[in-house]
Amino acid sequence: MSDARDRLAAAQADLLASLLGGAPPPPGFDASALRAMGDVLRCKRAREVAQAWPRLAEALPDFGSRFAAFARGHALEAGGPHDDGQRFARWLRDQGALPDEGLVDLLALEVRRRPFAVRAARLARGGLFVGARLPWLGARCWVLGR
Amino acid sequence: MGSPGLGDLGLGLGWRPELALLIDRHPDLGFVELLAEGCLAGGVPEAVDVLRERGVVVVPHGVSLSLGGAAPVDRAKVRALARLARRVGAPCVSEHVAFVRAGGLESGHLLPVPRTREALGVIAANVREARAILEGEAGVPLAVENVAALFEWPGAELSEGEFLGELLEATGARLLLDLANLHASAMNLGWDAQATLDALPLERLAYVHVAGGVRRGALYHDTHAHPAPQAVADLVEALCARTTPPGLLLERDDRFPPDAELAAELTGLARAAARGAARREPAHV
């Protein structure tokens, strides 16, 4: 990269780290405007995940604070709100805090990711989710025994 | 179809699944804008192909190229945009003068760039490269859009109008002039929106965006979730008193109102364009 690119890269990296990580603003910026911008970025990220995973957002009574906790430890990755929501769902599952609505949607996605896949999980409100993807079957999901 | 004060594209609405029915039924829409990233992942919605069969023009609009960033252009992404443009028979593709990633972090939002000659050089190189790929592989021009800002970089050497003007001159790209973004930045940063309009090379206009926003405390937020304020309609009128934009497109992304309300908002904006056109000197009509 050229010197000009390097300088632009460094300046933008410093700014973004400040907006997302709460580090002091780089010199010369309006600090209160940057704080407002950081809030906008955080709210937008949460709102877009809620739009992409509406059943999970509705089923999780403390979606806002849970997502904020997740976001503090997991920087946004390239790929969009649906992928971000999927990472959030997996994080909740690791803590045993993923409600059934999110679990079903997550497992259905995981079943589709490989040519061969089987997923099963007991649901909190009773019943067993089973999902399978096989070459002759395609991807199928069932909830049994409810 | 045809709207006084507007060119061949006419009136437009950003295509969203929630608005598919309104768009399908609206008798006067000349064009729609397709969010490129969604189509690159999931294909073109069937409803959009139905619109194309009726003669509605479709323009892919990207948000993730980060042309205002320091990284070299992602050629594979631009090629994918070119394929999408060919797929929908687009007359152009639009993106932004903004960055969305730096230092390994994603912002998830279009951030403003430093308005220095040095940054201009880097960004112009990115825009030239993206333009070359789009023209070479799909024969479509690239239009770049100004973004809304809550803050600006210190040490600006150029005004927004000068920066955009020099960028367009240096790259040959077209301008997607977002009047709502101009209004937002003017409100938040104390710019003179009319002076910015005066400084812009309006002959390079590809089309125009309008959208709504809301004041929260001292700041105006370009939310795309509220009706366009009167000040934005006034900018439509002021722009159309200076030139005939090829098209005028309303963006609505959230808190969707009843169809009749959105249709009325479009009509109001069309009227603002017509009022502006009526004010132009007779020799220019």
Side-chain angles (χ1 to χ4, degrees):
Chain A
M1 288 213 289
S2 71
D3 288 345
R5 276 192 192 265
D6 287 343
R7 281 190 286 272
L8 184 61
Q12 289 178 339
D14 285 349
L15 174 63
L16 197 47
S18 170
L19 289 174
L20 294 173
F29 282 92
D30 177 339
S32 81
L34 290 201
R35 271 196 302 276
M37 189 75 242
D39 289 343
V40 165
L41 296 185
R42 279 180 284 279
C43 285
K44 182 175 181 180
R45 186 180 172 188
R47 192 175 63 246
E48 293 194 334
V49 164
Q51 282 171 345
W53 288 73
R55 296 197 308 187
L56 171 58
E58 235 180 77
L60 201 55
D62 49 353
F63 173 85
S65 52
R66 291 271 194 180
F67 187 81
F70 162 78
R72 276 192 292 272
H74 299 78
L76 181 63
E77 297 178 27
H82 198 262
D83 289 353
D84 200 22
Q86 188 172 4
R87 280 177 220 111
F88 175 52
R90 284 203 207 108
W91 179 80
L92 287 170
R93 180 175 57 182
D94 290 345
Q95 300 175 2
L98 181 61
D100 284 345
E101 290 80 352
L103 180 59
V104 165
D105 289 345
L106 180 61
L107 292 174
L109 272 179
E110 291 184 344
V111 155
R112 282 171 177 79
R113 271 168 61 202
R114 293 193 185 82
F116 296 88
V118 176
R119 288 284 182 281
R122 207 166 295 284
L123 297 176
R125 58 170 178 265
L128 182 72
F129 169 95
V130 178
R133 186 179 175 199
L134 298 163
W136 47 269
L137 180 68
R140 295 277 189 279
C141 300
W142 305 269
V143 174
L144 308 174
R146 231 192 333 193
Chain B
M1 277 188 284
S3 208
L6 301 178
D8 291 342
L9 290 174
L11 267 184
L13 200 50
W15 197 90
R16 310 283 182 271
E18 296 89 342
L19 300 177
L21 208 50
L22 165 64
I23 290 170
D24 189 71
R25 288 174 177 164
H26 200 292
D28 292 325
L29 285 181
F31 74 122
V32 295
E33 204 181 51
L34 213 47
L35 296 178
E37 282 73 13
C39 293
L40 296 177
V44 174
E46 204 179 307
V48 171
D49 283 328
V50 171
L51 290 172
R52 286 188 56 219
E53 279 159 31
R54 276 192 356 226
V56 175
V57 171
V58 178
V59 176
H61 183 64
V63 300
S64 66
L65 276 188
S66 205
L67 293 174
V73 161
D74 185 334
R75 300 182 62 85
K77 250 190 187 164
V78 183
R79 283 209 177 92
L81 256 182
R83 278 194 298 277
L84 178 58
R86 284 202 314 270
R87 160 78 174 78
V88 297
C92 71
V93 165
S94 52
E95 247 286 358
H96 300 83
V97 183
F99 75 104
V100 299
R101 62 188 63 93
L105 292 173
E106 296 278 322
S107 64
H109 187 80
L110 299 157
L111 296 175
V113 300
R115 293 195 310 271
T116 61
R117 290 223 150 72
E118 183 172 274
L120 178 59
V122 174
I123 297 166
N126 291 345
V127 171
R128 272 195 296 267
E129 183 163 8
R131 193 192 154 206
I133 296 171
L134 288 165
E135 302 237 357
E137 306 214 355
V140 286
L142 170 64
V144 291
E145 179 183 343
N146 57 304
V147 297
L150 297 185
F151 68 92
E152 57 192 341
W153 290 72
E157 294 165 3
L158 299 158
S159 69
E160 176 87 337
E162 288 166 344
F163 187 86
L164 289 171
E166 292 200 18
L167 180 64
L168 296 167
E169 178 80 39
T171 60
R174 306 269 177 90
L175 175 61
L176 165 49
L177 176 57
D178 190 312
L179 292 175
N181 290 350
L182 175 57
H183 171 63
S185 299
M187 293 279 291
N188 293 328
L189 305 173
W191 300 349
D192 180 340
Q194 300 275 353
T196 306
L197 283 186
D198 288 336
L200 289 171
L202 297 179
E203 69 281 2
R204 292 187 184 272
L205 262 182
Y207 60 106
V208 175
H209 269 176
V210 282
V214 71
R215 276 202 84 103
R216 285 190 192 115
L219 292 173
Y220 178 89
H221 294 262
D222 171 56
T223 59
H224 297 191
H226 300 85
Q230 185 59 43
V232 171
D234 291 343
L235 283 175
V236 170
E237 186 176 335
L239 176 66
C240 293
R242 289 166 164 79
T243 190
T244 302
L248 178 68
L249 186 129
L250 175 62
E251 295 185 283
R252 186 68 179 241
D253 298 343
D254 204 353
R255 297 177 72 249
F256 297 96
D259 286 357
E261 212 175 291
L262 209 51
E265 195 179 337
L266 264 174
T267 303
L269 293 161
R271 288 207 184 108
R275 280 197 303 274
R279 278 168 40 193
R280 293 181 72 190
E281 296 291 336
H284 293 160
V285 166

